[in-house]
Amino acid sequence: MKKVLLGAIVLAAGSFAAWHFLAKPQAQSNTVATTSNTVIASTTGEQKTLRIALEGKYPPFEYINEQNQLVGFNVDLANALCKEMKVRCEFTRFDFDNLIPSLNENKADAIVSSLSITDEREKLVQFTDVYSKVPGAYVAEKKAKLIWPVITAERIKGSSIGVVEKTTFDDYLSNEMDSKKVNIKRFKSADDMMAALNKGEINLVFDDSAVLGQFLGKPQNGERFEMVGNRIDSAKWLGRGEAIALRKEDGELRDQFNIALRKIIANGQHKEMGYKYFTLRIL
């Protein structure tokens, strides 16, 4: 049974290829509905519904706030694009490693979840233009005094590095960091990884520098932790930027997303959304 919050009404939709049409359009504003593993947020009352897949555990890109609302840069971005495309956004959460399978199983129409463009992923899906591109970075406790300009396995020998599993950051560590010298500890989500860092269960984390910058922006974190070493901008392992993923056959939908994305970049909406969540430019 679905639990409806904030007076939201979840409307059933019939499926026609990538587009979904509601029997009775109903305007909704910042509404959230949840089941045990799904959060749906809707902002417009348009008839066409576009199903957006995301993880929802990657602040400030996407997360559940204290009011149990799905929020973050990716949510704002998707809503802005849906508005330009004159469709209704419907968000569904999946585990990160199940995003692409769910898309290709027609459980969603697009993935807006900071998915990096890589050669391996392009074998499974197609991507829109890039909407964010930031390097990877390390964060550790200040008391560790990791003062090296470049982090290497030899320099942090015996340390534990946290990373979100099956991400491009995991790919980088798996291929560039000697696992015989350091312990790479993989987590299901960024939330789990940062919780482990706070508890002292790991020595460092490796993730998106924008995400880590937001983490350090909180006074209690900034006093205790810091970015260390060099920023990593490896297209080979970290991809060529983050973009919206679509099924390979949905070329028309990709083109519509690109038109909308270029428009919100040109009119400043994208930059404004970035300033809302990040301390550095993401594109």
Side-chain angles (χ1 to χ4, degrees):
M1 180 179 290
K2 291 186 177 181
K3 181 179 179 182
V4 182
L5 304 177
L6 304 177
I9 299 176
V10 180
L11 302 176
S15 174
F16 295 88
W19 298 101
H20 298 259
F21 300 89
L22 300 181
K24 294 182 180 180
Q26 179 169 334
Q28 301 186 36
S29 176
N30 197 30
T31 59
V32 178
T34 67
T35 64
S36 59
N37 62 355
T38 302
V39 173
I40 298 174
S42 304
T43 58
T44 72
E46 303 292 340
Q47 282 186 302
K48 292 180 180 178
T49 298
L50 194 61
R51 301 169 302 168
I52 306 295
L54 41 62
E55 182 193 25
K57 295 181 180 180
Y58 197 49
F61 281 100
E62 56 200 56
Y63 60 101
I64 304 299
N65 66 12
E66 293 179 354
Q67 290 73 45
N68 202 36
Q69 296 170 313
L70 182 62
V71 296
F73 178 83
N74 286 336
V75 177
D76 288 0
L77 174 71
N79 280 326
L81 295 174
C82 283
K83 184 176 181 180
E84 288 294 334
M85 296 162 66
K86 294 181 170 52
V87 297
R88 175 181 180 270
C89 268
E90 182 177 279
F91 295 89
T92 303
R93 295 176 63 196
F94 299 93
D95 288 340
F96 186 82
D97 59 357
N98 200 34
L99 285 169
I100 290 178
S102 296
L103 175 69
N104 285 328
E105 290 167 6
N106 199 30
K107 295 177 181 177
D109 301 311
I111 300 171
V112 187
S113 196
S114 299
L115 205 62
S116 298
I117 303 171
T118 67
D119 292 342
E120 286 302 309
R121 287 172 179 166
E122 284 188 312
K123 295 175 183 177
L124 303 171
V125 297
Q126 63 175 322
F127 287 95
T128 63
D129 294 345
V130 169
Y131 69 78
S132 70
K133 182 173 173 54
V134 291
Y138 296 96
V139 161
E141 282 198 85
K142 290 181 178 180
K143 68 180 183 181
K145 297 182 179 180
L146 300 181
I147 59 174
W148 299 288
V150 177
I151 297 295
T152 66
E154 186 62 38
R155 287 171 172 169
I156 59 169
K157 189 174 182 178
S159 297
S160 295
I161 307 177
V163 69
V164 179
E165 66 179 5
K166 299 180 182 178
T167 61
T168 53
F169 302 104
D170 187 2
D171 290 341
Y172 177 84
L173 291 183
S174 297
N175 288 279
E176 298 291 339
M177 196 66 69
D178 189 346
S179 60
K180 294 180 181 179
K181 295 180 179 179
V182 297
N183 176 29
I184 301 173
K185 191 166 184 179
R186 295 170 175 85
F187 296 87
K188 291 287 290 183
S189 71
D191 286 347
D192 294 340
M193 177 179 69
M194 301 314 292
L197 181 68
N198 267 307
K199 293 176 183 177
E201 296 173 354
I202 51 178
N203 305 111
L204 305 90
V205 296
F206 181 57
D207 206 340
D208 185 306
S209 58
V211 171
L212 296 177
Q214 190 265 356
F215 169 79
L216 294 174
K218 296 179 180 179
Q220 68 272 26
N221 297 330
E223 292 174 4
R224 181 180 169 192
F225 301 99
E226 64 182 349
M227 283 193 189
V228 296
N230 53 314
R231 306 297 175 265
I232 308 297
D233 190 14
S234 169
K236 179 180 180 181
W237 301 119
L238 299 187
R240 303 184 294 279
E242 290 75 45
I244 298 166
L246 304 155
R247 285 183 290 274
K248 283 184 171 289
E249 63 268 25
D250 288 339
E252 182 179 350
L253 183 57
R254 177 204 60 211
D255 293 343
Q256 292 182 33
F257 265 120
N258 280 337
I259 290 170
L261 179 58
R262 291 164 192 167
K263 185 171 182 179
I264 68 168
I265 290 174
N267 67 20
Q269 279 183 270
H270 182 280
K271 182 183 290 186
E272 185 177 338
M273 287 186 289
Y275 288 151
K276 177 180 176 181
Y277 293 102
F278 306 106
T279 57
L280 50 78
R281 290 184 60 180
I282 63 169
L283 187 63

